[in-house]
Amino acid sequence: MSELEVQATLSRGERSRSRGRRVTPFEVLAVVVALFLLVAGLLPGLLAPGDPLGIDPAAAFQPPSPAHWFGTDESGRDIWTRVVHGAGTSLVIGFAATAIGLGVGLVLGTIAGMLGPAVDFSVNRLLEVLFAFPGLLLALLFILIFGPGVWTATVAVGLSASPGYARIIRGQLLAVRRSSFVEAATVLGRTRRQLLLRHILPNTLAPLFVLGTLGVGQAIVWASALSYLGLGAQPPAAEWGAMLSAGRTYLTTAWWMSFFPGLVIVLTAVAATVLGRAIERRARYA
Amino acid sequence: MSAEPNTGDAPSAVARVLNLSVVFGGTPVVSGVSFDVSAGRCLALVGESGSGKSVTARSLLGLAGAGARVEADALAVAGSSVLGLSERAWRRRRGKDVGLVLQDALVSLDPLRPVGREVADSLRLHMPLDAVARQARVRELLAAVGLPDAGERMRQRSGELSGGQRQRALIAAAIALDPPLLIADEPTTALDVTVQAQILDLLENLKAAGTGILLISHDLAVVSRIADDIAVMAEGRIVESGPAVRVLAAPTHPITQRMLAAIPADKPRHTALAPTSTDTRVVGSGRNRSAIATTTNDSRGETGGAREVVLEARGLVKSFRRPGGGQFLAVDDVSFRLERGTTLGIVGESGSGKTTTARLALALTAPDAGEVRLLGHPFTGIPENERRALRPAIGAIYQDALGSFDPRFTVQDILLDAVTGGRRSGPAASARVRELLDAVALPATLLGRRPLSLSGGQRQRVGIARALAARPDVLVCDEPVSALDVTVQAQVLDLLDELQRERGLSLLFISHDLGVVQHMSDRVAVMQNGCIVETGEASAVFADPRHPYTAQLLAAVPLLPA
């Protein structure tokens, strides 16, 4: 914030600064959800000691009860256990897909931003073609070629998110490249490599941390959507999207089969968004 | 009337402040401030940034800020008390009883709305006028503040107006309801000298028409033009107040004296503008002047001989494509020579091509024609790879020091990076960093801080230290002190002057401020519309300007009454 803005909006500035620091109840909830997912992902046995794949036909279609918190499915598998064990898969997909998206985006964005107008033009037209298709459609196309599965779904989600990242990275990079501190470093006699590695990239990537956090939630939702369509994780794997899809058939008689997987997908996405925004706000007012 | 606390009745007082204190979260920002502003008079509240002058003025608008506790024995605007007014009640008074003019009209005006609508806003809120009458009134107001073609201007957006025109529009908005009190907070700080002079004339006219003006400024020379009374603030208190003539001619408080001494115009070259502890020089004393005389004679004597030319520009031309098509000639056939150990001042108003000239000299942009030579070698027209070997010979400091530092870097990172050239650092580098900090008189305790948490003067010192790291021969200074308070500006100018004499630096000193350039330069070049219209020895140019534009610039410089 410039000095002027601060002067002109003293009162507003004061308020927004304190707003930047205050932790809202939603943020606390989001942190709790994130911690839960992390524990579930790393040590699922701690929260649900049972076997996510172990069937017990005698206990099929049981509604939520103290014995089965989230009920059981058509084969008598405990939904709670499966949801907890599914967290790991979802998190790996979410992080891996975001990493792929950011990685590809970073390469494309840096090429476009650093290698001159001709390259910039070409990369931009390529990105526009990719933008013309909805992300999920791109992912479907990719799976059509390489076949369904957890890893193809992950790569597919990552690739379809990458044009967006590339655009943002390119824009950020161009802005940083023209900033006066890069100019000052040029005056000090820095080489292009030094400029890029020491000043331009670090300052381009800092805001991406926020985008990445938001992206993880998005990627989890997308991967679940692909699994739901039968293109990602395959039954009987404990994966939220696949579970949601399996419960669809019994929606009228056993609502819990799809409700609880759906709930965690929503909670994860919301938590990632709230956390991303919280980090963004703090970064801005820091 | 006077700025002294007035306990008697002041019937013509448009603002009364008695024992005002403002506390932000336990920290007193303003304490025990009292003054009156009378109709048709101008009281200037002068002080450095952080002295509480803006907060004081804002208290009269109910805009002291959230979390501010405002207390006073009396706080009245237009004859009625405004103490403890609700936000709702404040809204009814602002604009009607008191108008506000801010420093930067570009951010104060909505960029998406025509300025006429901006001016009409307060009329719409407070005056029962129909649309046609309102339009007419807006046109009348814009004409009254001297905006040419008011009818056409009112349909333009703020971005289409020049800085001075925007400031006029803002003043028109502030006086739309004819408030008895007008608060002007640094109204001319962002403006060129000639425009500044016009705006000050406009305020003077308003004053003559009976408006009481509370002028906030850090610059005593500016306020001396229109202020009847002056109150000097420091650390939230009024340390000295009285009729302007008295305060300017016979200041009693050391802070006022320091601020007066810091004004660079008319002070001979190499005179210290600020008292420093590390320095034996005394501000403006007779002893000092004689010392300067000898230095000046020395340099004049040598100028006659053959001094080495360290930086030379020959026939530089640079044009830019206009957004709407067509070419804009930013620099048109500019040539200059900078001799070792001297300062060449380049002075001109915004848009005159000063900054483009600086960028050309630093080879940050390639000239369309002409060339720059550094230490006798060609500096332009060669690939950056070859130029890099010459880069250490030329350094730069910038107006926006903060923006010139990588935001992730601490002071230590910045200086280490400059010292090592981006390579690994050793103990020798750390020692050199301390040495640089010493040279710019900064304590080593600042090493761990980020520039964002430093004051403006400290930031510029870090910038100077960084520029000195490579032991340059030439330092290009692009408006190095324009963003600083007068007293801080004085310290930075003194520092540059001292470094120049210690290290034989040659300065290309670019500024819109004639006073600063006059104080710093051996030779000056006056720029207008991309051309150098006049060049010569600084003393000669300022004493006897040949070009009418130089004369016009000189006439606009606010000077203290002799």
Side-chain angles (χ1 to χ4, degrees):
Chain A
M1 237 195 212
S2 81
E3 195 178 30
L4 273 174
E5 276 174 89
V6 173
Q7 273 197 358
T9 60
L10 242 180
S11 54
R12 210 171 61 203
E14 283 290 323
R15 234 179 299 131
S16 52
R17 233 173 292 141
S18 58
R19 204 191 301 145
R21 272 190 230 113
R22 203 182 305 133
V23 179
T24 68
F26 285 112
E27 288 167 12
V28 175
L29 277 179
V31 170
V32 169
V33 171
L35 282 179
F36 171 79
L37 287 174
L38 219 60
V39 174
L42 296 173
L43 301 160
L46 213 63
L47 298 169
D51 177 3
L53 299 178
I55 54 170
D56 180 8
F61 296 124
Q62 288 196 4
S65 69
H68 301 284
W69 294 355
F70 285 2
T72 61
D73 67 5
E74 78 275 18
S75 310
R77 290 175 293 215
D78 184 48
I79 306 265
W80 162 255
T81 309
R82 286 171 64 74
V83 164
V84 169
H85 283 262
T89 320
S90 289
L91 287 186
V92 169
I93 294 177
F95 280 106
T98 307
I100 292 171
L102 278 175
V104 175
L106 185 63
V107 172
L108 283 177
T110 310
I111 289 175
M114 290 302 287
L115 294 186
V119 179
D120 189 24
F121 182 85
S122 322
V123 173
N124 269 319
R125 298 297 84 78
L126 173 73
L127 291 180
E128 269 156 28
V129 172
L130 292 177
F131 269 123
F133 301 98
L136 213 50
L137 200 67
L138 275 184
L140 286 177
L141 198 74
F142 184 82
I143 290 168
L144 196 73
I145 300 169
F146 293 97
V150 177
W151 286 110
T152 24
T154 307
V155 176
V157 169
L159 285 183
S160 50
S162 60
Y165 290 126
R167 257 291 156 82
I168 294 163
I169 290 168
R170 172 188 168 270
Q172 184 76 20
L173 200 115
L174 285 180
V176 174
R177 228 181 99 176
R178 286 194 203 111
S179 64
S180 43
F181 65 86
V182 171
E183 201 153 85
T186 313
V187 171
L188 288 175
R190 298 293 173 266
T191 61
R192 271 167 71 100
R193 221 179 94 93
Q194 282 174 322
L195 289 180
L196 182 69
L197 294 181
R198 237 175 121 62
H199 298 293
I200 301 178
L201 275 187
N203 281 293
T204 305
L205 297 187
L208 282 181
F209 189 66
V210 174
L211 274 178
T213 315
L214 295 172
V216 168
Q218 174 78 24
I220 289 177
V221 172
W222 279 17
S224 298
L226 288 175
S227 297
Y228 179 84
L229 297 173
L231 301 171
Q234 301 297 313
E239 202 277 345
W240 298 341
M243 290 167 69
L244 194 65
S245 168
R248 187 186 41 167
T249 331
Y250 310 103
L251 200 57
T252 47
T253 52
W255 57 270
W256 54 88
M257 276 183 67
S258 27
F259 175 76
F260 288 106
L263 183 68
V264 288
I265 293 174
V266 171
L267 281 182
T268 308
V270 171
T273 308
V274 171
L275 284 182
R277 297 267 178 244
I279 296 169
E280 183 189 16
R281 215 146 37 89
R282 277 170 184 68
R284 197 184 310 152
Y285 294 115
Chain B
M1 307 280 291
S2 85
E4 257 98 45
N6 195 336
T7 39
D9 258 5
S12 63
V14 290
R16 278 202 77 199
V17 176
L18 198 59
N19 207 9
L20 170 77
S21 69
V22 182
V23 180
F24 276 101
T27 323
V29 176
V30 174
S31 33
V33 165
S34 306
F35 59 81
D36 287 345
V37 183
S38 313
R41 304 274 288 179
C42 172
L43 168 67
L45 219 46
V46 184
E48 297 169 37
S49 16
S51 60
K53 56 190 192 309
S54 279
V55 174
T56 302
R58 270 152 213 279
S59 304
L60 287 169
L61 284 155
L63 292 172
R69 233 183 46 239
V70 179
E71 279 165 8
D73 293 343
L75 190 66
V77 171
S80 63
S81 174
V82 293
L83 262 180
L85 236 49
S86 70
E87 182 55 30
R88 221 183 134 81
W90 264 121
R91 274 201 291 271
R92 277 198 295 274
R93 310 274 308 250
R94 283 183 207 135
K96 191 159 79 62
D97 289 346
V98 50
L100 174 69
V101 181
L102 281 166
Q103 176 178 357
D104 193 330
L106 189 56
V107 295
S108 305
L109 290 169
D110 187 332
L112 296 176
R113 302 177 67 207
V115 288
R117 296 265 300 274
E118 292 278 310
V119 177
D121 270 353
S122 42
L123 292 175
R124 202 182 344 260
L125 290 173
H126 293 280
M127 256 188 195
L129 284 177
D130 61 63
V132 180
R134 203 156 56 215
Q135 288 278 3
R137 174 82 179 123
V138 169
R139 189 187 310 246
E140 201 181 295
L141 281 166
L142 289 175
V145 296
L147 209 59
D149 307 320
E152 189 190 328
R153 292 277 175 264
M154 60 192 283
R155 277 187 292 277
Q156 291 181 324
R157 295 186 184 88
S158 62
E160 297 170 80
L161 303 183
S162 71
Q165 289 173 339
R166 278 199 293 267
Q167 201 66 28
R168 284 172 196 272
L170 209 61
I171 293 176
I175 61 167
L177 298 165
D178 211 1
L181 174 66
L182 186 66
I183 298 178
D185 192 348
E186 303 273 6
T188 62
T189 303
L191 303 175
D192 284 330
V193 265
T194 48
V195 185
Q196 166 173 293
Q198 293 162 8
I199 296 292
L200 290 176
D201 285 346
L202 171 57
L203 290 176
E204 178 101 65
N205 292 343
L206 289 172
K207 191 178 81 173
T211 308
I213 295 178
L214 181 60
L215 178 67
I216 320 288
S217 180
H218 70 273
D219 192 339
L220 274 169
V222 167
V223 305
S224 69
R225 276 180 85 121
I226 60 167
D228 301 298
D229 303 293
I230 292 179
V232 180
M233 282 189 77
E235 287 165 9
R237 296 174 184 280
I238 292 182
V239 294
E240 174 163 14
S241 65
V245 190
R246 205 276 295 155
V247 173
L248 294 171
T252 55
H253 198 276
I255 289 182
T256 319
Q257 290 164 355
R258 198 172 76 202
M259 293 182 73
L260 281 168
I263 297 168
D266 280 353
K267 304 263 187 340
R269 183 122 164 71
H270 304 309
T271 326
L273 300 171
T276 43
S277 48
T278 56
D279 211 319
T280 49
R281 289 175 298 182
V282 183
V283 188
S285 75
R287 184 160 53 97
N288 196 22
R289 291 223 171 161
S290 56
I292 278 87
T294 45
T295 341
T296 321
N297 285 342
D298 278 357
S299 61
R300 286 292 176 274
E302 279 176 55
T303 328
R307 279 205 177 207
E308 183 196 356
V309 174
V310 284
L311 182 73
E312 184 178 14
R314 282 189 204 149
L316 290 177
V317 177
K318 180 73 187 176
S319 59
F320 295 107
R321 205 172 295 145
R322 275 225 172 82
Q327 296 276 312
F328 164 66
L329 203 54
V331 168
D332 185 8
D333 193 19
V334 163
S335 305
F336 59 81
R337 292 152 73 91
L338 175 60
E339 293 171 348
R340 184 174 292 281
T342 67
T343 302
L344 171 65
I346 295 186
V347 66
E349 300 192 274
S350 42
S352 61
K354 306 184 302 283
T355 295
T356 307
T357 306
R359 290 175 53 84
L360 286 167
L362 288 164
L364 284 169
T365 182
D368 299 337
E371 69 159 351
V372 177
R373 296 179 77 85
L374 181 62
L375 303 177
H377 306 285
F379 194 53
T380 51
I382 55 173
E384 183 67 34
N385 286 339
E386 289 173 37
R387 186 156 44 227
R388 212 165 282 132
L390 280 167
R391 285 241 181 242
I394 187 165
I397 55 175
Y398 310 86
Q399 174 173 12
D400 175 19
L402 182 62
S404 74
F405 304 131
D406 191 316
R408 298 172 312 120
F409 281 19
T410 60
V411 172
Q412 168 141 337
D413 295 334
I414 292 165
L415 296 181
L416 265 183
D417 180 79
V419 166
T420 59
R423 282 179 292 277
R424 202 170 287 278
S425 60
S430 304
R432 175 94 176 108
V433 164
R434 308 239 155 193
E435 196 184 307
L436 285 171
L437 275 185
D438 236 31
V440 296
L442 282 178
T445 46
L446 294 183
L447 277 175
R449 303 258 294 270
R450 267 168 226 284
L452 193 64
S453 69
L454 300 182
S455 72
Q458 288 172 329
R459 287 172 191 166
Q460 200 52 279
R461 282 168 195 270
V462 174
I464 295 172
R466 173 178 65 177
L468 293 177
R471 298 191 170 85
D473 298 285
V474 181
L475 205 54
V476 176
C477 313
D478 186 6
E479 301 270 9
V481 294
S482 306
L484 304 177
D485 274 358
V486 180
T487 44
V488 182
Q489 161 178 309
Q491 294 162 8
V492 172
L493 293 179
D494 284 352
L495 173 66
L496 283 172
D497 186 53
E498 193 185 308
L499 290 169
Q500 172 167 44
R501 276 178 295 143
E502 275 172 16
R503 299 168 188 238
L505 276 175
S506 320
L507 303 182
L508 184 65
F509 194 97
I510 293 168
S511 179
H512 71 281
D513 189 330
L514 267 83
V516 171
V517 169
Q518 179 176 14
H519 177 71
M520 292 299 291
S521 308
D522 298 299
R523 292 181 65 83
V524 282
V526 181
M527 283 192 79
Q528 184 190 21
N529 301 330
C531 303
I532 293 182
V533 295
E534 180 162 6
T535 181
E537 295 287 317
S539 46
V541 170
F542 285 109
D544 179 22
R546 297 281 156 81
H547 196 275
Y549 179 69
T550 315
Q552 189 193 334
L553 277 179
L554 274 170
V557 175
L559 284 178
L560 294 171

